[in-house]
Amino acid sequence: MSRLRWITLNSSEALIREGEDVIQGLEQTPKTLPCRYFYDDRGSQFFEQICDLPEYYPTRTEQSILETYASEIAQLTGACELVELGSGSSRKTRLLLEAYSQFSDPLQYCPIDVSAGILKTTALELLHQYPKLKLCGLAGTYEQALDQLPPAELENRMLIFLGSTIGNLSEAEYQQFLDRVRKALQPGEFFLLGVDLQKDPAILEAAYNDAQGITAAFNLNSLSHLNWRFQGNFNLEQFDHWAFYNTTEHQIEMHLRSLVTQTIALEALAFQTTLQAGETIRTEISRKFHLPALVKTLETYAFQPLQVWTDPNNWFGLLLCQRQCISDECP
Ligand code: AVJ
């Protein structure tokens, strides 16, 4: 029997809606773009480079927390199927796979990512590395994946969402997301969440304005992606990367600033809009969390935090939660 299964969730209906959210974002004031357009195959490669930058502390900090506590996490949950949202190269998840391979045979892992390219490369690598591993790769968005999660093959499962990607959601999207996760999981199942914490703005701003300009290239690449995908005419030389910490909202904002007044067309969407010189498109927010407030919110969505881990600087948090019963779910 094959150890690898693929599920592609990109329905044609979803593709149409994706184009619509580009238009919707560009019609707003200020203009915005959904940040998942960063993650085409090239963008995912840029992101991998970001993770290794000296200024970008989140990846290595979360990695160090996982190095210390992966086996404790596995002990707390016992054998379970691992489902990961936004798995990318699964580099941090390998620590969990190591820890769970002591309990689980077969070891069941479902990586989910919008970038089918990185998903495939990673899946093949992992199968080679872990002989006990059974993989079920899902190419699609978080919304699609959570709504259409295949039934668990093992008795228990843990949904993994690392890298503080939850910080990319606006307050409303964040609430909707937690509600979806609650519905996707059975009482007793686990949710492992990694979040970037509030800290000195200088450290935050450096992390999104690296000296080598990789974050800028990553930001600009979303325009190349739109050009390719929707026959756009963005000229990357007419835009600058701009990232800063918004202290009121506790979030990093990444923008692309138009250097000239220009009209942008996305031919495949029959859409055009004008950007003034100096006008920006906000391409990402990255919210920074306050642990006690986050714990309260999770509790209101029926997630009981079992354990919260941080690094010695308190820069990053990792929370293991268990889905509780609500109302009449449990006898
Ligand atoms: C891993 C998606 C959460 O917001 O820090 C890195 C993406 N953007 N540098 C983040 C990102 C700019 C990253 N996420």
Side-chain angles (χ1 to χ4, degrees), residues 165-180 198 248-251 253 282 285-290 293-294 296-298 300-301:
T165 304
I166 197 168
N168 293 153
L169 307 178
S170 69
E171 181 62 29
E173 290 165 342
Y174 167 72
Q175 307 274 346
Q176 270 173 25
F177 173 82
L178 290 176
D179 200 50
R180 270 206 164 86
Q198 294 171 8
T248 347
E249 299 292 332
H250 301 288
Q251 65 192 20
E253 294 189 11
R282 196 188 68 206
I285 60 166
S286 191
R287 304 210 292 160
K288 306 304 167 188
F289 295 85
H290 175 61
L294 176 63
K296 274 210 187 109
T297 309
L298 287 165
T300 65
Y301 283 91

PDB file of all heavy atoms in Angstrom, residues 165-180 198 248-251 253 282 285-290 293-294 296-298 300-301:
ATOM      1  N   THR A 165       1.673  32.177  12.135  1.00  0.00           N
ATOM      2  CA  THR A 165       0.892  32.508  10.948  1.00  0.00           C
ATOM      3  C   THR A 165      -0.502  32.981  11.337  1.00  0.00           C
ATOM      4  O   THR A 165      -1.124  33.757  10.614  1.00  0.00           O
ATOM      5  CB  THR A 165       0.856  31.296  10.002  1.00  0.00           C
ATOM      6  OG1 THR A 165       2.205  30.941   9.715  1.00  0.00           O
ATOM      7  CG2 THR A 165       0.151  31.618   8.704  1.00  0.00           C
ATOM      8  N   ILE A 166      -0.971  32.584  12.507  1.00  0.00           N
ATOM      9  CA  ILE A 166      -2.280  33.064  12.983  1.00  0.00           C
ATOM     10  C   ILE A 166      -2.271  34.594  13.101  1.00  0.00           C
ATOM     11  O   ILE A 166      -3.317  35.232  12.986  1.00  0.00           O
ATOM     12  CB  ILE A 166      -2.679  32.380  14.320  1.00  0.00           C
ATOM     13  CG1 ILE A 166      -4.182  32.560  14.568  1.00  0.00           C
ATOM     14  CG2 ILE A 166      -1.834  32.892  15.488  1.00  0.00           C
ATOM     15  CD1 ILE A 166      -4.751  31.712  15.670  1.00  0.00           C
ATOM     16  N   GLY A 167      -1.061  35.166  13.259  1.00  0.00           N
ATOM     17  CA  GLY A 167      -0.931  36.620  13.356  1.00  0.00           C
ATOM     18  C   GLY A 167      -1.228  37.341  12.047  1.00  0.00           C
ATOM     19  O   GLY A 167      -1.407  38.556  12.030  1.00  0.00           O
ATOM     20  N   ASN A 168      -1.272  36.610  10.953  1.00  0.00           N
ATOM     21  CA  ASN A 168      -1.589  37.235   9.670  1.00  0.00           C
ATOM     22  C   ASN A 168      -3.083  37.500   9.509  1.00  0.00           C
ATOM     23  O   ASN A 168      -3.509  38.135   8.550  1.00  0.00           O
ATOM     24  CB  ASN A 168      -1.111  36.367   8.491  1.00  0.00           C
ATOM     25  CG  ASN A 168       0.411  36.272   8.390  1.00  0.00           C
ATOM     26  OD1 ASN A 168       0.932  35.305   7.887  1.00  0.00           O
ATOM     27  ND2 ASN A 168       1.131  37.282   8.875  1.00  0.00           N
ATOM     28  N   LEU A 169      -3.891  36.990  10.432  1.00  0.00           N
ATOM     29  CA  LEU A 169      -5.340  37.175  10.326  1.00  0.00           C
ATOM     30  C   LEU A 169      -5.778  38.449  11.047  1.00  0.00           C
ATOM     31  O   LEU A 169      -5.281  38.753  12.129  1.00  0.00           O
ATOM     32  CB  LEU A 169      -6.066  35.969  10.937  1.00  0.00           C
ATOM     33  CG  LEU A 169      -5.639  34.590  10.414  1.00  0.00           C
ATOM     34  CD1 LEU A 169      -6.414  33.494  11.143  1.00  0.00           C
ATOM     35  CD2 LEU A 169      -5.872  34.483   8.915  1.00  0.00           C
ATOM     36  N   SER A 170      -6.711  39.145  10.447  1.00  0.00           N
ATOM     37  CA  SER A 170      -7.306  40.315  11.110  1.00  0.00           C
ATOM     38  C   SER A 170      -8.140  39.818  12.285  1.00  0.00           C
ATOM     39  O   SER A 170      -8.419  38.613  12.383  1.00  0.00           O
ATOM     40  CB  SER A 170      -8.204  41.067  10.137  1.00  0.00           C
ATOM     41  OG  SER A 170      -9.348  40.277   9.859  1.00  0.00           O
ATOM     42  N   GLU A 171      -8.580  40.713  13.155  1.00  0.00           N
ATOM     43  CA  GLU A 171      -9.358  40.305  14.325  1.00  0.00           C
ATOM     44  C   GLU A 171     -10.564  39.451  13.908  1.00  0.00           C
ATOM     45  O   GLU A 171     -10.811  38.384  14.470  1.00  0.00           O
ATOM     46  CB  GLU A 171      -9.793  41.538  15.117  1.00  0.00           C
ATOM     47  CG  GLU A 171     -10.598  41.263  16.377  1.00  0.00           C
ATOM     48  CD  GLU A 171      -9.839  40.453  17.439  1.00  0.00           C
ATOM     49  OE1 GLU A 171      -8.589  40.555  17.505  1.00  0.00           O
ATOM     50  OE2 GLU A 171     -10.506  39.706  18.191  1.00  0.00           O
ATOM     51  N   ALA A 172     -11.291  39.884  12.876  1.00  0.00           N
ATOM     52  CA  ALA A 172     -12.486  39.154  12.454  1.00  0.00           C
ATOM     53  C   ALA A 172     -12.117  37.786  11.878  1.00  0.00           C
ATOM     54  O   ALA A 172     -12.752  36.770  12.189  1.00  0.00           O
ATOM     55  CB  ALA A 172     -13.270  39.966  11.436  1.00  0.00           C
ATOM     56  N   GLU A 173     -11.070  37.763  11.048  1.00  0.00           N
ATOM     57  CA  GLU A 173     -10.637  36.488  10.450  1.00  0.00           C
ATOM     58  C   GLU A 173     -10.139  35.517  11.516  1.00  0.00           C
ATOM     59  O   GLU A 173     -10.351  34.303  11.426  1.00  0.00           O
ATOM     60  CB  GLU A 173      -9.496  36.738   9.451  1.00  0.00           C
ATOM     61  CG  GLU A 173      -9.916  37.444   8.183  1.00  0.00           C
ATOM     62  CD  GLU A 173      -8.721  37.991   7.388  1.00  0.00           C
ATOM     63  OE1 GLU A 173      -7.616  38.135   7.962  1.00  0.00           O
ATOM     64  OE2 GLU A 173      -8.911  38.284   6.204  1.00  0.00           O
ATOM     65  N   TYR A 174      -9.480  36.079  12.512  1.00  0.00           N
ATOM     66  CA  TYR A 174      -8.940  35.302  13.628  1.00  0.00           C
ATOM     67  C   TYR A 174     -10.070  34.610  14.399  1.00  0.00           C
ATOM     68  O   TYR A 174     -10.003  33.417  14.702  1.00  0.00           O
ATOM     69  CB  TYR A 174      -8.159  36.302  14.474  1.00  0.00           C
ATOM     70  CG  TYR A 174      -7.704  35.949  15.848  1.00  0.00           C
ATOM     71  CD1 TYR A 174      -6.678  35.049  16.056  1.00  0.00           C
ATOM     72  CD2 TYR A 174      -8.257  36.607  16.954  1.00  0.00           C
ATOM     73  CE1 TYR A 174      -6.221  34.789  17.338  1.00  0.00           C
ATOM     74  CE2 TYR A 174      -7.800  36.362  18.230  1.00  0.00           C
ATOM     75  CZ  TYR A 174      -6.784  35.450  18.426  1.00  0.00           C
ATOM     76  OH  TYR A 174      -6.334  35.211  19.687  1.00  0.00           O
ATOM     77  N   GLN A 175     -11.130  35.356  14.661  1.00  0.00           N
ATOM     78  CA  GLN A 175     -12.278  34.772  15.371  1.00  0.00           C
ATOM     79  C   GLN A 175     -12.921  33.666  14.529  1.00  0.00           C
ATOM     80  O   GLN A 175     -13.236  32.586  15.036  1.00  0.00           O
ATOM     81  CB  GLN A 175     -13.332  35.859  15.673  1.00  0.00           C
ATOM     82  CG  GLN A 175     -12.789  37.091  16.399  1.00  0.00           C
ATOM     83  CD  GLN A 175     -12.761  36.948  17.908  1.00  0.00           C
ATOM     84  OE1 GLN A 175     -13.372  36.044  18.464  1.00  0.00           O
ATOM     85  NE2 GLN A 175     -12.032  37.826  18.582  1.00  0.00           N
ATOM     86  N   GLN A 176     -13.086  33.958  13.226  1.00  0.00           N
ATOM     87  CA  GLN A 176     -13.669  32.946  12.328  1.00  0.00           C
ATOM     88  C   GLN A 176     -12.800  31.708  12.255  1.00  0.00           C
ATOM     89  O   GLN A 176     -13.294  30.584  12.215  1.00  0.00           O
ATOM     90  CB  GLN A 176     -13.753  33.503  10.902  1.00  0.00           C
ATOM     91  CG  GLN A 176     -15.032  34.228  10.586  1.00  0.00           C
ATOM     92  CD  GLN A 176     -14.919  34.878   9.206  1.00  0.00           C
ATOM     93  OE1 GLN A 176     -14.142  34.433   8.359  1.00  0.00           O
ATOM     94  NE2 GLN A 176     -15.698  35.933   8.997  1.00  0.00           N
ATOM     95  N   PHE A 177     -11.496  31.941  12.218  1.00  0.00           N
ATOM     96  CA  PHE A 177     -10.550  30.837  12.127  1.00  0.00           C
ATOM     97  C   PHE A 177     -10.669  29.916  13.345  1.00  0.00           C
ATOM     98  O   PHE A 177     -10.768  28.698  13.219  1.00  0.00           O
ATOM     99  CB  PHE A 177      -9.128  31.385  11.981  1.00  0.00           C
ATOM    100  CG  PHE A 177      -8.067  30.327  12.037  1.00  0.00           C
ATOM    101  CD1 PHE A 177      -7.759  29.588  10.903  1.00  0.00           C
ATOM    102  CD2 PHE A 177      -7.394  30.053  13.212  1.00  0.00           C
ATOM    103  CE1 PHE A 177      -6.791  28.594  10.942  1.00  0.00           C
ATOM    104  CE2 PHE A 177      -6.424  29.064  13.266  1.00  0.00           C
ATOM    105  CZ  PHE A 177      -6.126  28.334  12.130  1.00  0.00           C
ATOM    106  N   LEU A 178     -10.682  30.520  14.548  1.00  0.00           N
ATOM    107  CA  LEU A 178     -10.762  29.706  15.764  1.00  0.00           C
ATOM    108  C   LEU A 178     -12.071  28.923  15.814  1.00  0.00           C
ATOM    109  O   LEU A 178     -12.118  27.782  16.281  1.00  0.00           O
ATOM    110  CB  LEU A 178     -10.607  30.583  17.010  1.00  0.00           C
ATOM    111  CG  LEU A 178      -9.210  31.161  17.220  1.00  0.00           C
ATOM    112  CD1 LEU A 178      -9.184  32.094  18.430  1.00  0.00           C
ATOM    113  CD2 LEU A 178      -8.179  30.039  17.391  1.00  0.00           C
ATOM    114  N   ASP A 179     -13.109  29.542  15.279  1.00  0.00           N
ATOM    115  CA  ASP A 179     -14.384  28.859  15.234  1.00  0.00           C
ATOM    116  C   ASP A 179     -14.313  27.644  14.296  1.00  0.00           C
ATOM    117  O   ASP A 179     -14.836  26.576  14.596  1.00  0.00           O
ATOM    118  CB  ASP A 179     -15.444  29.853  14.749  1.00  0.00           C
ATOM    119  CG  ASP A 179     -16.833  29.403  15.128  1.00  0.00           C
ATOM    120  OD1 ASP A 179     -17.023  29.069  16.316  1.00  0.00           O
ATOM    121  OD2 ASP A 179     -17.705  29.360  14.228  1.00  0.00           O
ATOM    122  N   ARG A 180     -13.636  27.821  13.157  1.00  0.00           N
ATOM    123  CA  ARG A 180     -13.452  26.714  12.206  1.00  0.00           C
ATOM    124  C   ARG A 180     -12.633  25.589  12.822  1.00  0.00           C
ATOM    125  O   ARG A 180     -12.927  24.413  12.632  1.00  0.00           O
ATOM    126  CB  ARG A 180     -12.686  27.206  10.975  1.00  0.00           C
ATOM    127  CG  ARG A 180     -13.548  27.726   9.889  1.00  0.00           C
ATOM    128  CD  ARG A 180     -12.803  27.561   8.561  1.00  0.00           C
ATOM    129  NE  ARG A 180     -13.711  27.685   7.457  1.00  0.00           N
ATOM    130  CZ  ARG A 180     -14.048  28.852   6.908  1.00  0.00           C
ATOM    131  NH1 ARG A 180     -13.578  29.975   7.391  1.00  0.00           N
ATOM    132  NH2 ARG A 180     -14.891  28.879   5.898  1.00  0.00           N
ATOM    133  N   GLN A 198       4.520  40.175  21.895  1.00  0.00           N
ATOM    134  CA  GLN A 198       4.830  41.607  21.893  1.00  0.00           C
ATOM    135  C   GLN A 198       6.203  41.827  22.526  1.00  0.00           C
ATOM    136  O   GLN A 198       6.554  41.175  23.503  1.00  0.00           O
ATOM    137  CB  GLN A 198       3.743  42.363  22.665  1.00  0.00           C
ATOM    138  CG  GLN A 198       2.413  42.277  21.927  1.00  0.00           C
ATOM    139  CD  GLN A 198       1.228  42.814  22.712  1.00  0.00           C
ATOM    140  OE1 GLN A 198       1.381  43.411  23.780  1.00  0.00           O
ATOM    141  NE2 GLN A 198       0.039  42.603  22.180  1.00  0.00           N
ATOM    142  N   THR A 248      -0.324  50.763  18.202  1.00  0.00           N
ATOM    143  CA  THR A 248      -1.710  50.715  18.703  1.00  0.00           C
ATOM    144  C   THR A 248      -2.333  49.350  18.441  1.00  0.00           C
ATOM    145  O   THR A 248      -3.009  48.784  19.301  1.00  0.00           O
ATOM    146  CB  THR A 248      -2.600  51.776  17.998  1.00  0.00           C
ATOM    147  OG1 THR A 248      -1.781  52.688  17.295  1.00  0.00           O
ATOM    148  CG2 THR A 248      -3.505  52.475  18.959  1.00  0.00           C
ATOM    149  N   GLU A 249      -2.101  48.844  17.249  1.00  0.00           N
ATOM    150  CA  GLU A 249      -2.701  47.554  16.883  1.00  0.00           C
ATOM    151  C   GLU A 249      -1.814  46.369  17.274  1.00  0.00           C
ATOM    152  O   GLU A 249      -2.214  45.217  17.080  1.00  0.00           O
ATOM    153  CB  GLU A 249      -2.958  47.501  15.367  1.00  0.00           C
ATOM    154  CG  GLU A 249      -3.923  48.562  14.836  1.00  0.00           C
ATOM    155  CD  GLU A 249      -5.359  48.348  15.320  1.00  0.00           C
ATOM    156  OE1 GLU A 249      -5.726  47.184  15.587  1.00  0.00           O
ATOM    157  OE2 GLU A 249      -6.093  49.342  15.461  1.00  0.00           O
ATOM    158  N   HIS A 250      -0.619  46.628  17.767  1.00  0.00           N
ATOM    159  CA  HIS A 250       0.343  45.565  18.083  1.00  0.00           C
ATOM    160  C   HIS A 250       0.574  44.662  16.889  1.00  0.00           C
ATOM    161  O   HIS A 250       0.459  43.440  16.980  1.00  0.00           O
ATOM    162  CB  HIS A 250      -0.128  44.730  19.283  1.00  0.00           C
ATOM    163  CG  HIS A 250      -0.317  45.546  20.523  1.00  0.00           C
ATOM    164  ND1 HIS A 250       0.731  46.060  21.245  1.00  0.00           N
ATOM    165  CD2 HIS A 250      -1.442  45.961  21.155  1.00  0.00           C
ATOM    166  CE1 HIS A 250       0.270  46.741  22.267  1.00  0.00           C
ATOM    167  NE2 HIS A 250      -1.050  46.707  22.234  1.00  0.00           N
ATOM    168  N   GLN A 251       0.842  45.278  15.744  1.00  0.00           N
ATOM    169  CA  GLN A 251       1.095  44.458  14.565  1.00  0.00           C
ATOM    170  C   GLN A 251       2.145  45.083  13.653  1.00  0.00           C
ATOM    171  O   GLN A 251       2.219  46.298  13.505  1.00  0.00           O
ATOM    172  CB  GLN A 251      -0.206  44.221  13.769  1.00  0.00           C
ATOM    173  CG  GLN A 251      -0.805  45.483  13.165  1.00  0.00           C
ATOM    174  CD  GLN A 251      -2.221  45.269  12.649  1.00  0.00           C
ATOM    175  OE1 GLN A 251      -2.903  44.325  13.054  1.00  0.00           O
ATOM    176  NE2 GLN A 251      -2.674  46.122  11.749  1.00  0.00           N
ATOM    177  N   GLU A 253       3.128  45.818   9.972  1.00  0.00           N
ATOM    178  CA  GLU A 253       2.411  45.958   8.702  1.00  0.00           C
ATOM    179  C   GLU A 253       3.443  45.990   7.590  1.00  0.00           C
ATOM    180  O   GLU A 253       4.428  46.708   7.678  1.00  0.00           O
ATOM    181  CB  GLU A 253       1.604  47.264   8.683  1.00  0.00           C
ATOM    182  CG  GLU A 253       0.490  47.257   9.697  1.00  0.00           C
ATOM    183  CD  GLU A 253      -0.450  48.452   9.547  1.00  0.00           C
ATOM    184  OE1 GLU A 253      -0.358  49.169   8.521  1.00  0.00           O
ATOM    185  OE2 GLU A 253      -1.260  48.647  10.464  1.00  0.00           O
ATOM    186  N   ARG A 282      -1.266  47.493   1.396  1.00  0.00           N
ATOM    187  CA  ARG A 282      -0.849  46.712   2.570  1.00  0.00           C
ATOM    188  C   ARG A 282      -0.921  45.226   2.219  1.00  0.00           C
ATOM    189  O   ARG A 282      -1.987  44.717   1.871  1.00  0.00           O
ATOM    190  CB  ARG A 282      -1.749  47.013   3.775  1.00  0.00           C
ATOM    191  CG  ARG A 282      -1.117  46.525   5.082  1.00  0.00           C
ATOM    192  CD  ARG A 282      -2.063  46.636   6.246  1.00  0.00           C
ATOM    193  NE  ARG A 282      -3.138  45.677   6.061  1.00  0.00           N
ATOM    194  CZ  ARG A 282      -4.359  45.805   6.580  1.00  0.00           C
ATOM    195  NH1 ARG A 282      -4.667  46.856   7.296  1.00  0.00           N
ATOM    196  NH2 ARG A 282      -5.272  44.881   6.366  1.00  0.00           N
ATOM    197  N   ILE A 285      -0.410  41.852   7.543  1.00  0.00           N
ATOM    198  CA  ILE A 285      -0.274  42.261   8.938  1.00  0.00           C
ATOM    199  C   ILE A 285       0.290  41.042   9.672  1.00  0.00           C
ATOM    200  O   ILE A 285       0.026  39.900   9.281  1.00  0.00           O
ATOM    201  CB  ILE A 285      -1.608  42.698   9.596  1.00  0.00           C
ATOM    202  CG1 ILE A 285      -2.634  41.570   9.583  1.00  0.00           C
ATOM    203  CG2 ILE A 285      -2.151  43.949   8.936  1.00  0.00           C
ATOM    204  CD1 ILE A 285      -3.825  41.821  10.496  1.00  0.00           C
ATOM    205  N   SER A 286       1.076  41.286  10.693  1.00  0.00           N
ATOM    206  CA  SER A 286       1.608  40.189  11.484  1.00  0.00           C
ATOM    207  C   SER A 286       1.429  40.597  12.943  1.00  0.00           C
ATOM    208  O   SER A 286       2.230  41.341  13.499  1.00  0.00           O
ATOM    209  CB  SER A 286       3.075  39.965  11.116  1.00  0.00           C
ATOM    210  OG  SER A 286       3.547  38.767  11.675  1.00  0.00           O
ATOM    211  N   ARG A 287       0.328  40.138  13.514  1.00  0.00           N
ATOM    212  CA  ARG A 287      -0.022  40.568  14.865  1.00  0.00           C
ATOM    213  C   ARG A 287       0.876  39.914  15.902  1.00  0.00           C
ATOM    214  O   ARG A 287       1.305  38.777  15.742  1.00  0.00           O
ATOM    215  CB  ARG A 287      -1.484  40.209  15.150  1.00  0.00           C
ATOM    216  CG  ARG A 287      -2.403  40.829  14.091  1.00  0.00           C
ATOM    217  CD  ARG A 287      -3.754  41.137  14.641  1.00  0.00           C
ATOM    218  NE  ARG A 287      -4.503  39.969  14.974  1.00  0.00           N
ATOM    219  CZ  ARG A 287      -5.545  39.989  15.811  1.00  0.00           C
ATOM    220  NH1 ARG A 287      -5.893  41.102  16.428  1.00  0.00           N
ATOM    221  NH2 ARG A 287      -6.221  38.893  16.031  1.00  0.00           N
ATOM    222  N   LYS A 288       1.158  40.660  16.951  1.00  0.00           N
ATOM    223  CA  LYS A 288       2.021  40.175  18.027  1.00  0.00           C
ATOM    224  C   LYS A 288       1.159  40.035  19.275  1.00  0.00           C
ATOM    225  O   LYS A 288       0.380  40.929  19.610  1.00  0.00           O
ATOM    226  CB  LYS A 288       3.190  41.143  18.238  1.00  0.00           C
ATOM    227  CG  LYS A 288       3.992  41.416  16.944  1.00  0.00           C
ATOM    228  CD  LYS A 288       4.540  40.139  16.289  1.00  0.00           C
ATOM    229  CE  LYS A 288       5.057  40.370  14.881  1.00  0.00           C
ATOM    230  NZ  LYS A 288       5.423  39.131  14.173  1.00  0.00           N
ATOM    231  N   PHE A 289       1.312  38.918  19.963  1.00  0.00           N
ATOM    232  CA  PHE A 289       0.333  38.533  20.977  1.00  0.00           C
ATOM    233  C   PHE A 289       0.790  38.786  22.404  1.00  0.00           C
ATOM    234  O   PHE A 289       1.985  38.883  22.697  1.00  0.00           O
ATOM    235  CB  PHE A 289      -0.029  37.056  20.792  1.00  0.00           C
ATOM    236  CG  PHE A 289      -0.741  36.796  19.492  1.00  0.00           C
ATOM    237  CD1 PHE A 289      -0.034  36.576  18.321  1.00  0.00           C
ATOM    238  CD2 PHE A 289      -2.135  36.824  19.433  1.00  0.00           C
ATOM    239  CE1 PHE A 289      -0.692  36.363  17.106  1.00  0.00           C
ATOM    240  CE2 PHE A 289      -2.793  36.610  18.224  1.00  0.00           C
ATOM    241  CZ  PHE A 289      -2.076  36.384  17.067  1.00  0.00           C
ATOM    242  N   HIS A 290      -0.213  38.870  23.271  1.00  0.00           N
ATOM    243  CA  HIS A 290      -0.024  38.987  24.707  1.00  0.00           C
ATOM    244  C   HIS A 290      -0.595  37.682  25.254  1.00  0.00           C
ATOM    245  O   HIS A 290      -1.792  37.410  25.083  1.00  0.00           O
ATOM    246  CB  HIS A 290      -0.822  40.217  25.178  1.00  0.00           C
ATOM    247  CG  HIS A 290      -0.829  40.429  26.649  1.00  0.00           C
ATOM    248  ND1 HIS A 290       0.328  40.638  27.368  1.00  0.00           N
ATOM    249  CD2 HIS A 290      -1.846  40.484  27.536  1.00  0.00           C
ATOM    250  CE1 HIS A 290       0.014  40.814  28.635  1.00  0.00           C
ATOM    251  NE2 HIS A 290      -1.294  40.712  28.763  1.00  0.00           N
ATOM    252  N   ALA A 293      -4.002  37.285  27.275  1.00  0.00           N
ATOM    253  CA  ALA A 293      -5.191  37.608  26.480  1.00  0.00           C
ATOM    254  C   ALA A 293      -5.490  36.478  25.494  1.00  0.00           C
ATOM    255  O   ALA A 293      -6.657  36.103  25.286  1.00  0.00           O
ATOM    256  CB  ALA A 293      -4.982  38.929  25.740  1.00  0.00           C
ATOM    257  N   LEU A 294      -4.446  35.925  24.900  1.00  0.00           N
ATOM    258  CA  LEU A 294      -4.624  34.835  23.944  1.00  0.00           C
ATOM    259  C   LEU A 294      -5.243  33.609  24.620  1.00  0.00           C
ATOM    260  O   LEU A 294      -6.164  32.980  24.084  1.00  0.00           O
ATOM    261  CB  LEU A 294      -3.273  34.475  23.314  1.00  0.00           C
ATOM    262  CG  LEU A 294      -3.278  33.288  22.362  1.00  0.00           C
ATOM    263  CD1 LEU A 294      -4.162  33.553  21.150  1.00  0.00           C
ATOM    264  CD2 LEU A 294      -1.859  32.954  21.904  1.00  0.00           C
ATOM    265  N   LYS A 296      -7.168  33.562  27.186  1.00  0.00           N
ATOM    266  CA  LYS A 296      -8.593  33.848  27.435  1.00  0.00           C
ATOM    267  C   LYS A 296      -9.412  33.615  26.171  1.00  0.00           C
ATOM    268  O   LYS A 296     -10.465  32.989  26.212  1.00  0.00           O
ATOM    269  CB  LYS A 296      -8.772  35.300  27.882  1.00  0.00           C
ATOM    270  CG  LYS A 296      -8.596  35.470  29.353  1.00  0.00           C
ATOM    271  CD  LYS A 296      -9.454  36.640  29.889  1.00  0.00           C
ATOM    272  CE  LYS A 296      -9.112  36.871  31.350  1.00  0.00           C
ATOM    273  NZ  LYS A 296      -8.355  38.116  31.566  1.00  0.00           N
ATOM    274  N   THR A 297      -8.917  34.145  25.044  1.00  0.00           N
ATOM    275  CA  THR A 297      -9.648  33.983  23.790  1.00  0.00           C
ATOM    276  C   THR A 297      -9.803  32.507  23.446  1.00  0.00           C
ATOM    277  O   THR A 297     -10.889  32.053  23.068  1.00  0.00           O
ATOM    278  CB  THR A 297      -8.907  34.692  22.632  1.00  0.00           C
ATOM    279  OG1 THR A 297      -8.629  36.016  23.030  1.00  0.00           O
ATOM    280  CG2 THR A 297      -9.724  34.692  21.359  1.00  0.00           C
ATOM    281  N   LEU A 298      -8.702  31.740  23.585  1.00  0.00           N
ATOM    282  CA  LEU A 298      -8.770  30.318  23.244  1.00  0.00           C
ATOM    283  C   LEU A 298      -9.820  29.609  24.102  1.00  0.00           C
ATOM    284  O   LEU A 298     -10.567  28.770  23.603  1.00  0.00           O
ATOM    285  CB  LEU A 298      -7.390  29.673  23.432  1.00  0.00           C
ATOM    286  CG  LEU A 298      -6.363  30.049  22.362  1.00  0.00           C
ATOM    287  CD1 LEU A 298      -4.958  29.674  22.805  1.00  0.00           C
ATOM    288  CD2 LEU A 298      -6.699  29.387  21.024  1.00  0.00           C
ATOM    289  N   THR A 300     -12.527  30.842  25.243  1.00  0.00           N
ATOM    290  CA  THR A 300     -13.889  31.131  24.777  1.00  0.00           C
ATOM    291  C   THR A 300     -14.242  30.308  23.530  1.00  0.00           C
ATOM    292  O   THR A 300     -15.408  30.164  23.206  1.00  0.00           O
ATOM    293  CB  THR A 300     -14.126  32.628  24.487  1.00  0.00           C
ATOM    294  OG1 THR A 300     -13.291  32.998  23.381  1.00  0.00           O
ATOM    295  CG2 THR A 300     -13.802  33.514  25.667  1.00  0.00           C
ATOM    296  N   TYR A 301     -13.227  29.770  22.847  1.00  0.00           N
ATOM    297  CA  TYR A 301     -13.496  28.894  21.697  1.00  0.00           C
ATOM    298  C   TYR A 301     -13.381  27.414  22.059  1.00  0.00           C
ATOM    299  O   TYR A 301     -13.148  26.563  21.206  1.00  0.00           O
ATOM    300  CB  TYR A 301     -12.571  29.243  20.527  1.00  0.00           C
ATOM    301  CG  TYR A 301     -13.045  30.496  19.841  1.00  0.00           C
ATOM    302  CD1 TYR A 301     -12.573  31.738  20.248  1.00  0.00           C
ATOM    303  CD2 TYR A 301     -14.004  30.452  18.838  1.00  0.00           C
ATOM    304  CE1 TYR A 301     -13.033  32.907  19.658  1.00  0.00           C
ATOM    305  CE2 TYR A 301     -14.469  31.603  18.240  1.00  0.00           C
ATOM    306  CZ  TYR A 301     -13.979  32.824  18.658  1.00  0.00           C
ATOM    307  OH  TYR A 301     -14.446  33.971  18.076  1.00  0.00           O
TER     308      TYR A 301
END
